[in-house]
Amino acid sequence: MSNTKALSSITKKVIMSLAGLFLIVFLLIHLGINLFLLPIVEGNREVFHAAAEFMSTFWPMKVMEIALFGGFILHGLYGVIVQLGNWKSRGSEAYKVSSKTKTTFASRTMIYSGLLVLLFLVMHLYQFYFVKLGLVEGAMLANGHPDFYTIAVNLFTNDMIFSSIYILLFVVLGFHLYHAFQSAFQTMGWNHPKYTPVVKVIGNIYAVVVPLGFIIIPLYYMFMG
C-alpha cells in the first residue's frame, strides 16, 4: 500500500514538473513577443501585431493554446495536491521546524507564490484573452482582431495600479521560478554531477532575466512612455 502511495506521489510530481517545464518554454516565447511593445526596433508595433496575428491564427498555435491551458491547469492542480500531501505527511511540529532549516525560502513558499501567479493569470485573461473572445470590450484593429498593442500600452501608461500589480506579481514569479526550474529537473531524475550545477546556474539566470524582461515593459511606459 505504501509503495502504491509513493508511486502515486511521484507520478503527480512528474506531471506537475512536465507541465511546469512546458510553461517555462512558453514564457520565453511570450517574452520574445512582448518585448516588441518597446521601441527596440523600427516598426516595433507592426512586428508585435504580426507576431500576435501569427499566434492567434496559425492552427498549430491554436493547438498549443489548448496545451497551454492544459499545462496551467495540470501544473496548478497537481501543485496544490502535492503540497496538501506534504502538509498531511508532516508529523510533529519539531519536524516542521527542522525541515524549514533545510529548504530555501522559495521552496517553502511555492504554494503561495503559485497562487499569486494564478491571480496574475486570471487578471491577464480578463484584460487580454477575454477581449479576444469578445467577452470584454477593448481596442480593435481594422481587420476586427483585438489591438493588443494599444490595450497593453494604454494599461501600462494610464493604470498605475494594474502596472504595479503586474510588476509585483512578476517579482513573485521570479521566486517561484527560482525553485521550480531546478526542482523540475530533479523530479524528472535528470541529475548529474557534471550537469546539475550548470542547470542550477541556468535556472537562476532564467528566474531573474525572464521576469525582469516582463517588468521592464510597464516600467518604460510608467516613467518614459
Side-chain angles (χ1 to χ4, degrees):
M1 185 68 176
S2 60
N3 289 337
T4 302
K5 287 184 178 179
L7 181 60
S8 175
S9 177
I10 292 172
T11 301
K12 292 171 186 174
K13 289 181 180 179
V14 168
I15 293 174
M16 180 180 67
S17 297
L18 286 174
L21 288 171
F22 173 76
L23 297 176
I24 283 172
V25 173
F26 167 76
L27 273 177
L28 280 175
I29 298 172
H30 195 31
L31 175 60
I33 295 173
N34 277 22
L35 285 176
F36 286 103
L37 289 168
L38 300 172
I40 55 178
V41 296
E42 185 176 352
N44 63 294
R45 180 171 185 154
E46 287 71 25
V47 175
F48 179 87
H49 281 316
E53 181 80 6
F54 174 77
M55 293 288 287
S56 62
T57 58
F58 190 45
W59 73 263
M61 293 296 103
K62 291 182 176 293
V63 174
M64 289 295 292
E65 187 176 89
I66 296 173
L68 176 63
F69 279 111
F72 273 115
I73 292 171
L74 285 175
H75 185 69
L77 177 62
Y78 281 102
V80 171
I81 292 173
V82 168
Q83 183 62 61
L84 291 176
N86 289 341
W87 283 338
K88 185 177 180 180
S89 67
R90 289 178 179 176
S92 65
E93 189 68 24
Y95 174 78
K96 292 181 183 180
V97 173
S98 63
S99 66
K100 286 183 179 181
T101 62
K102 298 176 183 178
T103 57
T104 64
F105 173 79
S107 65
R108 294 196 305 270
T109 57
M110 282 294 284
I111 184 66
Y112 307 111
S113 61
L115 290 174
L116 287 173
V117 171
L118 176 62
L119 172 64
F120 166 76
L121 177 62
V122 172
M123 182 178 71
H124 197 64
L125 288 174
Y126 178 81
Q127 297 286 7
F128 295 95
Y129 193 72
F130 282 10
V131 175
K132 177 181 176 181
L133 296 180
L135 300 176
V136 174
E137 292 186 2
M140 305 297 287
L141 296 169
N143 61 6
H145 293 168
D147 185 351
F148 290 126
Y149 183 95
T150 297
I151 293 172
V153 170
N154 284 344
L155 280 170
F156 292 144
T157 304
N158 303 317
D159 194 333
M160 295 292 286
I161 295 177
F162 172 85
S163 296
S164 299
I165 294 174
Y166 184 97
I167 292 169
L168 176 63
L169 290 179
F170 265 104
V171 171
V172 172
L173 179 62
F175 280 100
H176 193 79
L177 291 170
Y178 173 78
H179 177 72
F181 196 100
Q182 301 168 42
S183 178
F185 278 84
Q186 184 176 354
T187 299
M188 298 305 298
W190 298 336
N191 294 324
H192 189 280
K194 183 177 180 180
Y195 303 117
T196 297
V198 177
V199 170
K200 184 176 181 179
V201 170
I202 294 174
N204 291 344
I205 293 173
Y206 182 99
V208 173
V209 172
V210 172
L212 183 61
F214 281 100
I215 288 171
I216 286 172
I217 300 169
L219 284 177
Y220 173 83
Y221 283 103
M222 288 170 71
F223 299 107
M224 300 179 66

